[in-house]
Amino acid sequence: AAAAPAAAAASASSAESQSEIDASGAGEEKGAACEPQSGDHASGAAVFAPPPRTTSGAKPGPDQDPSADKAGLKKKGDLLNGLAAIGEDNVAKEVQRLRSELGRDTCIVCILGGTKFQEDESEELVKVMAPKLEAAVGSKVKFVTGGMPGVQEAFAKHCGDGSRVWNLLPVGQASGYGRGTDINAGADLEERKAIFGLLGDVYVTVEGGPGVSQEARAAHARGAAVVPLIRTGGASGGMFDFPSGALEKPASVTEEQWSLLKSKDAPVEESASAVADILKACVGEIAKDNVVKEVQRLRSELGQDTCIVCILGGTKFQ
């Protein structure tokens, strides 16, 4: 009986500690992303799917109950309310510009987390995970941070030689990492965060407070994928109204992989490898979707009612 108040106090202290990190709004990154999608998250049948290049969430299906509709509206509102304050058109233009600079066929993986590690083990996990993610995916994948200290800096400094790391900051600011390429968008931090939330295909989250949860909800609403390192706690562990759908195991992920993201007792090396495997599968789905989109674009250009005859042969007559 005496242990209950102590446990409650510890929980409140943890929440307060996480809140202090991003109370100013500048204490963490807030991402949106290629989160597992599903027509029915409650069934556990979620699968990773590439996000649509839009700023709006999917319309509620006819089989959704009222509570699901309200949840969807709340997620969508997190994103749209932020955009309204700074001009949705400006943000959308910046997102398109950055996607063009980074490569239209590039899969963008955004890294989210607090500016200060709450647990030493979380820092070790990021340092071990960064090179694994870089090695697991092809050259068409680029990693984007928000140029902040803490989780993002640790990732940038341990992700290979840094050639595939891009640090997105407001105009006139620099990361000071000495690793990766700094790029600028947004007049201030709030505008840069809104752009960051619409830029990525996949978002990997570590620890975090209310801000990370807010961006994760916005990401989830637009169909982007969020891969939370649940074991690190804070927002990534489900606090601060983190989207519940992001905490459910996607159908494409094995029970073992998901447990390695959740268990604090799992070896750091194994948890890092599990994130790499999950990211690799997610990137593969995005690549397939891009191929389908390109075929559809070409068929449209050539004419949907056109019969296309392809000619095959060697490059040199024998």
Side-chain angles (χ1 to χ4, degrees), residues 44-289:
V47 294
F48 277 120
R53 307 293 191 202
T54 64
T55 58
S56 60
K59 295 181 179 179
D63 58 336
Q64 288 183 310
D65 61 37
S67 62
D69 289 344
K70 291 179 182 178
L73 289 173
K74 185 179 187 301
K75 294 173 187 174
K76 184 176 179 180
D78 285 331
L79 177 63
L80 298 184
N81 290 340
L83 296 182
I86 56 180
E88 185 173 354
D89 288 344
N90 290 339
V91 171
K93 288 177 181 178
E94 284 294 87
V95 170
Q96 291 300 316
R97 177 181 67 81
L98 291 170
R99 287 222 63 115
S100 180
E101 289 183 10
L102 294 173
R104 291 288 181 185
D105 58 347
T106 297
C107 177
I108 298 175
V109 178
C110 294
I111 308 300
L112 297 172
T115 60
K116 182 180 179 181
F117 284 102
Q118 296 300 297
E119 301 288 343
D120 291 339
E121 189 177 70
S122 296
E123 183 172 7
E124 180 186 358
L125 181 53
V126 171
K127 292 178 178 179
V128 173
M129 175 182 70
K132 287 182 178 291
L133 298 192
E134 197 262 353
V137 295
S139 60
K140 290 293 184 181
V141 175
K142 289 184 171 69
F143 299 93
V144 179
T145 80
M148 306 291 278
V151 170
Q152 294 178 331
E153 182 173 11
F155 183 90
K157 289 184 174 181
H158 292 81
C159 186
D161 61 3
S163 61
R164 290 161 64 186
V165 174
W166 302 75
N167 308 307
L168 178 61
L169 301 108
V171 174
Q173 296 187 23
S175 68
Y177 288 173
R179 184 66 65 93
T181 301
D182 285 359
I183 51 178
N184 299 99
D188 53 29
L189 182 62
E190 288 306 311
E191 188 166 334
R192 196 275 296 155
K193 286 189 290 188
I195 293 167
F196 190 89
L198 294 173
L199 182 64
D201 296 298
V202 186
Y203 290 74
V204 178
T205 74
V206 179
E207 294 187 353
V212 164
S213 284
Q214 179 186 353
E215 281 299 301
R217 290 195 300 271
H220 195 266
R222 75 175 175 91
V226 178
V227 181
L229 275 159
I230 301 170
R231 62 179 289 169
T232 62
S236 298
M239 296 176 67
F240 310 111
D241 200 22
F242 194 84
S244 59
L247 300 171
E248 296 175 6
K249 185 189 79 65
S252 58
V253 176
T254 67
E255 290 288 352
E256 181 181 6
Q257 289 172 333
W258 200 246
S259 67
L260 289 171
L261 264 62
K262 295 172 64 177
S263 175
K264 284 182 171 291
D265 296 327
V268 166
E269 185 81 17
E270 292 183 17
S271 290
S273 294
V275 178
D277 290 340
I278 291 171
L279 177 62
K280 184 176 181 179
C282 189
V283 169
E285 289 299 317
I286 293 171
K288 291 178 184 177
D289 183 71

